[in-house]
Amino acid sequence: MQYKKIPARFIYFFGAFGGILFGYDIGVMTGALPFLQNDWNLHGDAAAIGWITSSVMLGAIFGGALSGQVADRIGRRKTILIAAVIFVVGSILSGVVPHDGTVYLVIVRTGLGLAVGAASALVPAYMSEMAPARLRGRLSGLNQTMIVSGMLLSYIVDFLLKDLPDPWPWRMMLAMAAVPALVLFIGVLRLPESPRFLVRTGHLDHARHVLTLIRPADSVESELQQITETAAQEEKANARTSWATVFSGKYRYLVIAGVGVAAFQQFQGANAIFYYIPLIVEEASGAAASNALMWPIIQGVILVLGSLLFMAIADRFNRRTLLTVGGAVMGISFLLPAVINWINPATNPMLIVVFLSIYVAFYSFTWAPLTWVLVGEIFPLSIRGRASGLASSFNWIGSFLVGLLFPIMTAAMPQQAVFAIFGVICLLGVVFIRTRVPETRGRSLEEIERTETRQLSVAGQAASTVSTPSSHTKES
């Protein structure tokens, strides 16, 4: 297939749009849920609310895990196009679900989650392979901004559709998620396959042709050679790597650190706010959740501003410093409302929403973006593929469980108590950062691996030294 010369801006735009698509679907249920709840009379059914909300994340667990294998077989571009089609169909089916069709909606949204997981994993990877080297860092830095911008866009769309006659608001909100997926499909349809995939599958001439479309002529051969050498190195690394290697003593420390950070990011409860903020405001104020759709927009604006702040300060502070400060403030923001309510039960319950906004502000420029920066930096080449996939799976599992269990927990105990539990988890995350996670800022992957291996070796020698005198004592 012949393609026209592709402007870098075009690639850059759709690299950003993949994040918008991902963020849009994360946020769209926030505004739709109050109307769906009223239409289907789900106010007393916490389990149904949890399953409807979290089913996308359940599908994303498998979509993210399977997408890499599918993409290695048929290509990144084709897999993204398939995911976009599933996304369009799933969004439309979500909007036309039969009345009281809870099981139907859960099944449809689980299928939609397959596309969400695939898109979240593949679109940034494909675009980073396609974009010129000078744009890759910008793509990586903008990914979080685009995700939260997609969330904000969904909140605004939800707000604009809220005055439609029943039952159209929630149906249109869910169906409108097909629009960004359709835009992504049309855009990627114009793009060729990734040169890196073509090299890995032995299509060097095709890869060279694609590079001539997206690179200056004098850099094509040198980049092709670099891609070929890197692919050969990764193939050797993958051939020597198994799951036993990932969990071996040499790498176990780094795997625990990376996977632990990814898991803590979700179990700290951020998605409980993003998915359920109208219901949280309803519980606190007594006003109908369908009238509280300005609050998601406020949270979305905070997220976007926080992501921009992160881009400005990311390389000025250590990763562990930002995660420690963020986690500590987040934990305190969750715990203080419970403490204040315990001291003075007459306190205005809307105080919790103020503290949640403080939580979102610090989460937006610390744990939200830094989790994936750290995961990208901490794993050595030999285990990077498997370990990164494992971290992503734990992150999706945490997102699914928080989305499922939050309404069930709030039905069984006061909101302040639920958020206090998340606050304790935030503080445990800080302890984890300080004790288990190495600093990665300004250090190459090889330096991180050498340092941690050396520390493990020193620890092993110390243990051996301690045991030696005891054995001599026994003999004497």
Side-chain angles (χ1 to χ4, degrees), residues 62-83 86 114 118 122 193 197 200-201:
F62 300 99
L66 295 174
S67 61
Q69 300 177 38
V70 175
D72 284 343
R73 289 180 175 272
I74 67 173
R76 285 88 162 103
R77 175 179 172 273
K78 289 181 181 178
T79 308
I80 293 171
L81 291 174
I82 292 172
I86 295 174
L114 294 173
L122 286 179
E193 183 52 80
F197 171 78
R200 289 183 64 250
T201 53

Side-chain angles (χ1 to χ4, degrees), residues 61 64-65 372 388-398:
I61 296 171
W372 300 113
S388 297
L390 186 65
S392 178
S393 295
F394 269 83
N395 189 263
W396 279 117
I397 290 170

